[in-house]
Amino acid sequence: NSEFPTELLRKGRENEVFNLIKFDAFDAVDNVPLNTQVYDMTWVDEWRGEDVRSRLCVRQFKAAEFRDDVFAGTPDTFFIRVELALASARPDFAVMIIDISVAFMHARNDEIIYVKPPKDIIGSKYWRLKAAVSGTRKASQLWQEFSAEQLMDMLFDRNDVNPCIYHHEKYEIQAEQRGDDFLITGPRDAFDELAKGFQKPFLVKKIEIILTRPGDQKVGHFLKRKIWVDEVGWHMSMDGRYVTTL
């Protein structure tokens, strides 16, 4: 791929293969059962700052048949404003943003899926997937249910109306999940323990705790939005890094 420097592209793809192995995402096999569909895989590469992030994606395209077991919900953006309103109501409340790395791979695959990895991956001819991998139709749903189990193990209650909204009664914490990102509002004193709780079942890429007290960040980023706090209060705007001038 000539768009990316060779060394950065190599590093990005090596990291992806490393994570697939780390999460025990597949079994390598030389043959597949007769009359079994085998899906192709393709590299999806993109810039992430000064690095190249590579994802190995299964080309499991939407088929003609209807499936009701692939849905993964998302909360309305209104909930972000709710979280900030809660943060503004009490001076001891802070906002925590958590970003999970390679989220899909945390969840186990519950279907029999065989794939053919790209030619640049040397090894067995086929893989039988054991984890939810990008591009499989159930990946988002499997990740959402896996993460819900982990949050409920941490004594979060899952909202009956919107399955992406959580409440922790003991710590007075409100949380929302959007894919691999979590936006959490609650007492600052509860966040250090909560952050440790997230790091047990999840590979955490980033934790931002936003509050005006010394030692905490004043600015964070969530869903391409900039969230910050100052002496006036809490604010949100579209992050200038994602604004394109037309």
Side-chain angles (χ1 to χ4, degrees):
N1 192 326
S2 60
E3 180 182 350
F4 306 101
T6 302
E7 183 60 24
L8 291 179
L9 186 63
R10 181 191 63 79
K11 183 178 179 181
R13 293 186 174 184
E14 284 182 351
N15 286 340
E16 175 72 351
V17 174
F18 172 82
N19 284 321
L20 286 162
I21 295 172
K22 177 180 178 179
F23 280 87
D24 192 25
F26 64 90
D27 280 331
V29 296
D30 292 324
N31 298 286
V32 299
L34 189 65
N35 299 323
T36 299
Q37 183 169 5
V38 177
Y39 297 96
D40 290 333
M41 302 186 81
T42 187
W43 284 110
V44 177
D45 310 296
E46 60 180 351
W47 285 107
R48 283 297 174 96
E50 296 181 353
D51 297 320
V52 175
R53 189 189 78 168
S54 299
R55 288 287 179 263
L56 195 51
C57 297
V58 180
R59 304 180 72 188
Q60 191 182 31
F61 301 119
K62 181 179 180 180
E65 76 276 8
F66 173 78
R67 292 183 61 176
D68 60 1
D69 60 343
V70 297
F71 173 78
T74 56
D76 192 282
T77 53
F78 166 76
F79 283 103
I80 301 177
R81 298 193 294 273
V82 171
E83 298 260 23
L84 298 184
L86 291 172
S88 67
R90 284 177 47 175
D92 63 324
F93 268 30
V95 168
M96 181 161 64
I97 299 168
I98 299 179
D99 185 4
I100 308 300
S101 184
V102 291
F104 289 165
M105 295 185 201
H106 289 71
R108 296 292 90 186
N109 185 36
D110 64 355
E111 297 181 300
I112 298 176
I113 298 178
Y114 287 94
V115 298
K116 186 177 181 62
K119 294 180 180 179
D120 60 333
I121 297 181
I122 300 173
S124 296
K125 189 175 181 179
Y126 305 105
W127 291 351
R128 176 173 173 168
L129 297 184
K130 298 164 66 177
V133 173
S134 297
T136 55
R137 293 187 64 191
K138 291 191 70 175
S140 293
Q141 194 262 352
L142 290 170
W143 155 246
Q144 189 170 89
E145 292 309 309
F146 171 85
S147 55
E149 291 175 5
Q150 309 313 309
L151 264 66
M152 288 188 286
D153 284 345
M154 288 186 268
L155 302 182
F156 277 92
D157 293 317
R158 196 178 190 186
N159 190 282
D160 291 333
V161 177
N162 191 314
C164 304
I165 302 298
Y166 297 87
H167 178 72
H168 198 297
E169 184 175 0
K170 177 181 177 181
Y171 293 122
E172 301 179 272
I173 289 173
Q174 185 78 19
E176 69 167 287
Q177 177 187 8
R178 288 176 173 272
D180 56 5
D181 296 315
F182 293 86
L183 182 67
I184 302 169
T185 300
R188 173 61 182 87
D189 291 342
F191 278 0
D192 291 335
E193 181 178 349
L194 182 63
K196 291 178 182 177
F198 267 81
Q199 290 171 322
K200 292 179 181 178
F202 303 122
L203 178 60
V204 175
K205 180 192 308 180
K206 177 189 72 174
I207 296 178
E208 297 176 330
I209 299 178
I210 309 168
L211 190 60
T212 54
R213 84 179 192 182
D216 289 327
Q217 297 179 221
K218 308 299 183 290
V219 180
H221 299 87
F222 180 73
L223 293 181
K224 300 182 180 180
R225 290 166 172 80
K226 176 183 175 182
I227 295 173
W228 75 99
V229 63
D230 55 26
E231 63 278 359
V232 177
W234 290 87
H235 313 272
M236 178 178 68
S237 69
M238 291 301 297
D239 193 324
R241 295 178 298 175
Y242 301 99
V243 175
T244 301
T245 302
L246 299 178

